[in-house]
């Protein structure tokens, strides 16, 4: 049960920034046809770090006291492991300080980065004594995976001590940039640069610079061709200091340092001298002109393009208050981020003054600018930040915040979800070439824990390589195909209406779309999804009907609901009812209403029995979505049946949960709801599930025999009834599936 919950992940497919054309496509990892799933060699994987190595076709995983290497070849599922516990004595020391043995006093691997051509850098919490090691992974084509346990380095400043604290890092030019808390108590919030030849750099301890930050992502992004202008960007949240915010308000920031920052000569020695930050805004217009702000940053994905200076920044935000819980995805352009950094600095005369834009003279070189050709003027050379005048360093230290915030592209989120029963946690984005242009497809991991989503991009499609999404959770890692074209049905029109840029109609199938291929027969229309244009030679007037027949039971004089939701929000739905081989449109009135979710009978009559057909029409394309046989039961019958089958289940559930009477009352409602919701076709699964969860064999047999008795009683009642209304020549339907 826990596994089910933890691994539930949704894929949200969104095409185009301006319009949501296609909607949610949830993907339950346990029901989807993933090609592989890996949960470690010792039960729970406790996954905490992942690195996908596209060059070597390998997936490296880090967990609790363990590292794995998985080969990703076509037929291979080979895996190797390295046991990596804390250094001798550290686990005991950690327990001595009162930390949890299981969840804190182990070596939780937090960082896995490529280091050089043959080695990875791995860092773990080491039972509150962070440590790093180099892992030999060999060259491409060989499956080497070893670590020299004697060659372990201090990991302080590279990963946090506490496995539950957030941190972000990026490895560049042999140096590690990390935003984290670097002490045992988790209070020293810093941006660190370590390793490599230069001396270690850190942030000065000052709440103006970083106020209780939570680091989410770090990336090096070049400014131009001059490497001296390379900057490392950090995405994080911190306590807000600006006006108009309530106590303890959180803001999301983008901050940056120059990669060639070496600190000051007399002040800011070995401390960042180029750090500046700006607010990232993600909001929607609200009532009375007050915007609703999504302030809490959850995840960032950098969508890299050919122009490495200008990736698109995708970010998930949340806002959680007593009245409202919402999530939003905003996309930022680097140009807008740079513009905020080039704009005025935020300034405050003193504690009792308002924040405003700094209007005085900014010293030269402007704080936040890297020493490079640009800053060099004739007679004034700035070879490094050590050459910066003290006035520049002092200004940088007192004015780290920019006045103007960064707004998302189009000034609004590309996705907003409110009051959903799960959280949006992680995002990866794939830019897809379709027949009619480029589309960004977002994959969003949901749940209550932070999962790991990794999406590899292959520059040129290899024969054996399938584009895949790797989805991790503490329980394991699954590989999920991006192309799920077969789920869209077997007709050209369905394929077209799906508007999935990964799929196209190839003449006989809804199949994977490969851009620039020479295939003549490819039909795809992401923008309009119009099958009339795309499937001209297909017989559209032919109603595509691939529904299974289902039976729905309603109670006389009570309300009942026939569910039917079209796959496309633009489709119109009609309901037909078939009785004695005559099909007619359902007459709608006060009693029988058509809703967005289906057909609602506010009061059910016996003569409502029949076969109900729900059809959708879009662009002249007709589709039968649902075919439901409605059976009307007399009130007594259904209640009795519920009560009996419920009693049969009750012992199992009550025993295993140790239920009180109020819980029993709740389970009863729950049981009824389940029976109504799942429909008869899914009952075997539920049976199987409940059995595993609750029932032992003895109880199961008891339950079965009770149901069997009831089934017989039901059958004879039915026979009597159909005799009395004899003219309706129907075969008696088998209730057994439902009872089961
Ligand atoms: C699952 O995928 C594999 C490989 O792509 C395929 O061989 C298999 O038939 C699929 N199974 C189902 C039930 O679709
Ligand atoms: C990579 O780094 C490791 C650890 O410092 C070192 O032992 C190894 O020789 C290096 N490999 C190459 C190819 O530089
Ligand atoms: C298209 O399908 C309809 C309904 O099945 C049929 O009456 C019609 O003859 C078909 N047209 C062609 C061109 O096949
Ligand atoms: C009608 O339906 C409601 C809700 O499901 C239920 O509480 C009630 O007992 C039903 N009445 C009869 C007569 O079945
Ligand atoms: C439904 O209502 C009708 C008219 O009020 C009544 O004759 C009939 O007995 C009721 N049926 C049930 C099962 O309550």
């Amino acid at each position: 049960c826990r596994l089910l919950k933890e691994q539930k992940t949704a894929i949200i497919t969104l095409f185009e920034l301006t319009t949501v054309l296609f909607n949610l496509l949830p993907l339950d990892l346990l029901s989807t046809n993933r090609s592989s799933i890996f949960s470690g060699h010792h039960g729970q994987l406790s996954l905490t770090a992942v690195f996908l190595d596209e060059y070597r076709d390998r997936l490296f995983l880090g967990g609790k006291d363990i590292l794995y290497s998985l080969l990703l070849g076509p037929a291979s599922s080979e895996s190797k492991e390295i046991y990596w516990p804390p250094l001798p004595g550290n686990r005991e020391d950690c327990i001595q300080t009162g930390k949890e043995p299981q969840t804190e006093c182990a070596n939780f691997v937090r960082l896995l980065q490529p280091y050089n051509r043959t080695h990875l850098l791995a860092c773990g919490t080491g039972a509150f004594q962070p440590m790093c090691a180099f892992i030999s992974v060999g060259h491409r084509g060989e499956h080497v995976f070893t670590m020299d346990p004697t060659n372990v380095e201090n990991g302080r400043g590279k990963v946090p001590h506490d496995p539950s604290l957030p941190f972000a890092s990026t490895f560049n030019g042999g140096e590690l940039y990390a935003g984290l808390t670097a002490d045992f108590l988790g209070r020293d919030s810093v941006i660190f640069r370590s390793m490599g030849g230069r001396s270690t750099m850190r942030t000065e301890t000052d709440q103006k610079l970083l106020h209780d930050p939570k680091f989410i992502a770090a990336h090096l992004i070049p400014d131009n061709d001059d490497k001296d202008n390379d900057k490392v960007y950090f995405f994080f949240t911190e306590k807000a200091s600006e006006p108009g915010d309530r106590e303890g308000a959180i803001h999301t920031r983008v901050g940056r340092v120059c990669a060639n920052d070496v600190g000051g000569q007399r002040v800011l020695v070995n401390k960042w001298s180029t750090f500046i930050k700006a607010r990232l805004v993600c909001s929607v217009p609200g009532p009375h002109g007050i915007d609703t702000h999504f302030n809490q940053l959850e995840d960032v994905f950098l969508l890299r393009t050919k122009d490495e200076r200008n990736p698109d920044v995708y970010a998930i935000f949340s806002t959680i208050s007593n009245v409202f819980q919402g999530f939003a995805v905003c996309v930022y352009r680097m140009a807008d981020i740079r513009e905020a950094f080039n704009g005025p600095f935020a300034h405050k005369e003193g504690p009792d003054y308002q924040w405003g834009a700094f209007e005085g003279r900014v010293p030269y070189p402007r704080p936040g600018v890297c020493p490079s050709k640009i800053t060099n003027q004739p007679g004034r050379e700035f070879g490094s930040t050590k050459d910066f005048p003290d006035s520049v360093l002092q200004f940088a230290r007192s004015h780290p915040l920019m006045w103007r915030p960064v707004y998302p592209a189009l000034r609004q989120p590309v996705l907003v979800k409110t009051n959903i029963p799960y959280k949006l946690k992680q995002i990866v984005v794939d830019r897809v070439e379709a027949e009619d242009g480029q589309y960004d497809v977002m994959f969003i991991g949901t749940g209550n824990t932070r999962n790991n989503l990794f999406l590899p991009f292959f520059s040129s499609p290899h024969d054996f390589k399938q584009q895949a999404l790797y989805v991790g959770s503490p329980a394991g890692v699954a590989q999920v195909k991006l192309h799920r074209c077969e789920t869209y049905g077997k007709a050209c029109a369905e394929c077209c209406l799906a508007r999935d840029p990964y799929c196209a109609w190839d003449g006989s199938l809804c199949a994977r779309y490969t851009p620039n291929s020479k295939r003549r027969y490819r039909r795809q229309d992401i923008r309009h999804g119009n099958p009339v244009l795309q499937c001209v030679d297909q017989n559209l007037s032919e109603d595509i009907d691939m529904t299974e027949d289902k039976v729905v039971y309603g109670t006389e004089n009570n309300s009942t609901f026939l569910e039917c939701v079209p796959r496309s929000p633009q489709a119109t739905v009609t309901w037909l009812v078939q009785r004695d081989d005559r099909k007619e449109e359902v007459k709608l009135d006060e009693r029988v209403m058509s809703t967005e979710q289906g057909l609602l009978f506010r009061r059910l009559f016996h003569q409502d029995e029949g076969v109900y057909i729900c059809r959708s029409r879009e662009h002249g394309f007709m589709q039968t979505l649902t075919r439901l046989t409605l059976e009307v039961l007399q009130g007594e019958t259904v209640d009795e049946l519920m009560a009996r089958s419920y009693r049969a289940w009750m012992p199992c559930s009550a025993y295993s949960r140790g239920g009180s009477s109020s819980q029993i009352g709740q389970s009863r409602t729950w049981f009824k709801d389940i029976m109504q919701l799942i429909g008869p076709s899914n009952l075997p699964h539920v049976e199987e599930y409940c059995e595993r969860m609750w029932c032992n064999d003895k109880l199961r047999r008891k339950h079965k025999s009770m149901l069997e008795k009831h089934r017989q009683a039901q059958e004879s009642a039915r026979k009597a009834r159909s005799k009395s209304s004899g003219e309706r020549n129907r075969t008696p339907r088998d209730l057994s599936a439902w009872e089961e």
Side-chain angles (χ1 to χ4, degrees):
C1 189
R2 209 163 57 83
L3 214 89
L4 267 165
K5 259 193 211 140
E6 279 179 359
Q7 292 198 338
K8 200 169 168 88
T9 292
I11 284 198
I12 292 171
T13 317
L14 226 190
F15 308 137
E16 237 187 21
L17 287 184
T18 44
T19 339
V20 179
L21 293 176
F22 192 70
N23 50 6
L24 292 171
L25 178 65
L27 169 78
D28 191 327
L29 274 190
L30 290 187
S31 63
T32 189
N33 185 9
R34 75 251 167 197
S35 39
S36 59
I37 188 157
F38 179 77
S39 13
H41 299 159
H42 317 279
Q44 271 267 337
L45 180 60
S46 308
L47 187 71
T48 48
V50 177
F51 167 58
L52 180 73
D53 188 338
E54 289 176 47
Y55 174 72
R56 293 188 183 82
D57 283 321
R58 279 160 78 178
L59 187 64
F60 297 102
L61 310 174
K64 181 180 165 184
D65 297 335
I66 200 132
L67 290 158
Y68 286 105
S69 165
L70 271 67
L71 278 191
L72 296 178
S76 169
S77 57
E78 192 184 311
S79 62
K80 292 195 166 170
E81 68 170 81
I82 294 172
Y83 175 59
W84 192 27
L87 291 176
N90 288 356
R91 191 192 301 274
E92 293 72 21
D93 289 353
C94 175
I95 295 169
Q96 285 266 304
T97 62
K99 305 281 179 201
E100 271 295 314
Q102 288 306 315
T103 57
E104 294 182 314
C105 296
N107 182 32
F108 294 93
V109 178
R110 299 292 303 272
L111 185 148
L112 276 174
Q113 297 258 12
Y115 180 67
N116 61 22
R117 292 182 48 155
T118 52
H119 285 70
L120 294 187
L121 171 68
C123 299
T125 59
F128 270 76
Q129 309 240 21
M131 56 175 177
C132 295
F134 296 103
I135 305 193
S136 172
V137 292
H139 293 279
R140 190 173 171 169
E142 48 183 18
H143 197 183
V144 173
F145 195 56
T146 57
M147 180 205 281
D148 178 2
T150 59
N151 190 11
V152 169
E153 295 189 356
N154 192 333
R156 204 179 167 111
K158 302 185 181 82
V159 291
H161 294 59
D162 186 336
S164 68
L165 287 181
F167 94 108
S169 69
T170 180
F171 195 74
N172 228 280
E175 294 175 306
L176 183 74
Y177 296 80
L180 78 168
T181 50
D183 63 336
F184 183 87
L185 293 174
R187 291 190 190 147
D188 183 22
S189 301
V190 287
I191 291 174
F192 245 108
R193 184 178 66 203
S194 55
M195 309 184 69
R198 299 188 280 187
S199 52
T200 299
M201 291 282 294
R202 59 161 294 156
T203 323
E204 202 179 17
T205 309
D206 181 350
Q207 289 195 342
K208 235 189 233 152
L209 298 170
L210 294 170
H211 194 181
D212 263 345
K214 284 195 175 65
F215 290 95
I216 304 294
H219 295 282
L220 184 133
I221 304 169
D223 249 11
N224 46 42
D225 292 337
D226 186 356
K227 280 192 85 64
D228 276 340
N229 287 314
D230 285 1
K231 295 180 177 78
V232 178
Y233 289 81
F234 287 87
F235 298 87
F236 59 101
T237 59
E238 67 172 348
K239 289 217 177 109
S241 52
E242 292 100 313
D245 281 304
R246 59 194 160 71
E247 192 71 16
I250 296 291
H251 280 180
T252 289
R253 307 276 192 217
V254 52
R256 71 175 200 199
V257 291
C258 291
N260 64 5
D261 192 339
V262 289
Q265 187 68 41
R266 284 172 298 274
V267 283
L268 293 180
V269 178
N270 293 333
K271 310 252 168 68
W272 299 111
S273 62
T274 56
F275 177 73
I276 46 175
K277 62 185 178 181
R279 181 175 178 190
L280 280 183
V281 169
C282 183
S283 65
V284 289
H288 320 299
I290 300 164
D291 288 357
T292 297
H293 280 270
F294 299 86
N295 282 331
Q296 182 80 48
L297 184 66
E298 299 284 342
D299 193 32
V300 167
F301 181 83
L302 222 60
L303 180 60
R304 302 227 179 230
T305 59
K306 275 201 203 92
D307 177 5
E308 58 170 352
R309 293 163 300 179
N310 290 301
D312 284 336
V313 180
Y314 275 79
I316 300 183
F317 293 83
S318 65
T319 175
I320 294 156
S321 71
N322 296 338
V323 286
F324 179 72
Q325 170 177 336
F327 294 86
V329 176
C330 279
V331 186
Y332 301 91
R333 309 265 182 246
M334 281 312 295
D336 295 333
I337 292 176
R338 291 192 182 104
E339 198 181 298
F341 285 132
N342 291 336
F345 291 91
H347 178 73
K348 203 167 153 166
E349 268 321 311
D352 300 330
Y353 288 79
Q354 293 282 307
W355 281 97
F358 181 76
E359 279 163 355
R361 204 187 70 85
V362 176
Y364 187 87
R366 186 188 152 91
V369 170
C370 311
S372 71
K373 288 187 207 84
I374 299 169
T375 53
N376 288 345
Q377 292 181 338
R380 295 181 76 188
E381 299 246 318
F382 300 101
S384 94
T385 52
K386 288 198 170 158
D387 303 332
F388 282 177
D390 284 357
S391 60
V392 169
L393 304 184
Q394 258 135 23
F395 188 92
R397 180 187 213 176
S398 56
H399 295 86
L401 182 64
M402 306 315 297
W403 172 242
R404 289 203 196 109
V406 184
Y407 292 99
L410 312 166
R411 287 242 164 186
Q412 62 184 20
V414 291
L415 177 77
V416 175
K417 292 258 125 202
T418 54
N419 298 322
I420 44 174
Y422 49 84
K423 295 174 179 167
L424 304 191
K425 279 286 171 190
Q426 248 181 318
I427 183 168
V428 290
V429 182
D430 187 14
R431 183 157 286 171
V432 186
E433 291 289 340
E435 197 72 14
D436 57 0
Q438 261 183 355
Y439 293 88
D440 287 357
V441 181
M442 309 195 293
F443 294 85
I444 296 180
T446 66
N448 289 312
T449 55
R450 198 176 144 90
N451 295 314
N452 292 292
L453 287 177
F454 299 90
L455 182 66
F457 298 103
F458 300 117
S459 46
S460 59
H462 289 246
D463 286 345
F464 65 87
K465 270 180 184 165
Q466 273 220 332
Q467 272 200 315
L469 179 72
Y470 291 90
V471 184
S473 81
V477 179
Q479 185 199 49
V480 183
K481 285 189 293 179
L482 295 189
H483 306 89
R484 314 198 318 134
C485 308
E486 66 283 357
T487 56
Y488 297 123
K490 297 196 169 55
C492 173
E494 285 185 290
C495 192
C496 176
L497 285 170
R499 296 177 184 175
D500 184 336
Y502 291 118
C503 303
W505 182 252
D506 75 353
S508 56
L509 275 178
C510 195
R512 178 173 176 175
Y513 175 79
T514 323
N516 314 319
S517 74
K518 291 282 181 299
R519 296 184 75 158
R520 208 159 38 84
Y521 203 102
R522 297 190 304 177
R523 307 287 169 80
Q524 197 191 46
D525 179 7
I526 310 303
R527 201 166 298 276
H528 306 106
N530 188 347
V532 176
L533 299 174
Q534 293 299 307
C535 309
V536 265
D537 45 358
Q538 308 278 312
N539 192 346
L540 282 178
S541 59
E542 202 173 337
D543 179 6
I544 296 171
D545 178 357
M546 280 183 277
T547 58
E548 284 171 54
D549 287 12
K550 286 186 192 161
V551 187
V552 169
Y553 299 89
T555 320
E556 193 176 5
N557 293 342
N558 215 338
S559 63
T560 222
F561 186 68
L562 305 182
E563 190 181 355
C564 175
V565 184
R567 289 189 203 176
S568 158
Q570 288 95 338
T572 48
V573 163
T574 46
W575 281 93
L576 303 175
V577 60
Q578 185 172 359
R579 292 191 195 95
D580 312 323
D581 293 332
R582 265 210 344 260
K583 242 187 242 175
E584 55 183 75
E585 204 162 314
V586 173
K587 286 187 201 74
L588 301 172
D589 52 27
E590 286 256 283
R591 188 178 67 87
V592 186
M593 297 162 68
S594 180
T595 74
E596 265 178 39
Q597 310 291 316
L599 193 64
L600 174 69
F601 292 84
R602 295 170 74 184
R603 183 175 175 175
L604 197 59
F605 293 160
H606 200 255
Q607 57 268 31
D608 290 326
E609 282 200 334
V611 179
Y612 286 80
I613 299 154
C614 170
R615 264 189 198 164
S616 75
R617 180 186 284 275
E618 184 177 4
H619 292 303
F621 166 67
M622 197 120 80
Q623 212 178 359
T624 295
L625 301 174
T626 332
R627 186 187 300 272
L628 299 164
T629 303
L630 178 64
E631 298 256 336
V632 179
L633 304 174
Q634 255 114 48
E636 285 307 301
T637 328
V638 74
D639 233 31
E640 200 178 298
L641 178 61
M642 278 292 183
R644 269 167 185 266
S645 53
Y646 173 71
R647 272 198 301 276
W649 279 112
M650 213 30 244
C652 320
S653 58
Y655 289 148
S656 65
R657 294 182 187 169
S660 66
S661 61
S662 81
Q663 273 177 317
I664 290 170
Q666 271 169 15
S667 340
R668 176 165 187 180
T669 325
W670 171 86
F671 180 78
K672 269 199 171 186
D673 286 348
I674 292 278
M675 296 294 272
Q676 305 273 344
L677 284 172
I678 45 180
S681 62
N682 286 320
L683 264 169
H685 302 296
V686 174
E687 161 98 353
E688 202 183 293
Y689 173 77
C690 292
E691 208 171 274
R692 262 191 289 128
M693 291 295 293
W694 294 342
C695 280
N696 59 32
D697 270 357
K698 203 171 127 201
L699 288 165
R700 185 179 151 225
R701 277 197 299 276
K702 189 171 146 201
H703 150 73
K704 277 220 158 163
S705 76
M706 280 178 83
L707 277 177
E708 179 56 28
K709 259 186 229 152
H710 183 74
R711 202 188 67 80
Q712 284 160 5
Q714 184 74 10
E715 197 58 32
S716 40
R718 163 174 300 281
K719 274 186 191 137
R721 193 146 52 84
S722 66
K723 229 177 243 161
S724 71
S725 59
E727 73 291 339
R728 282 186 302 129
N729 187 17
R730 290 180 300 134
T731 48
R733 271 189 199 80
D734 189 8
L735 260 175
S736 59
W738 187 61
E739 286 168 6
E740 281 279 297

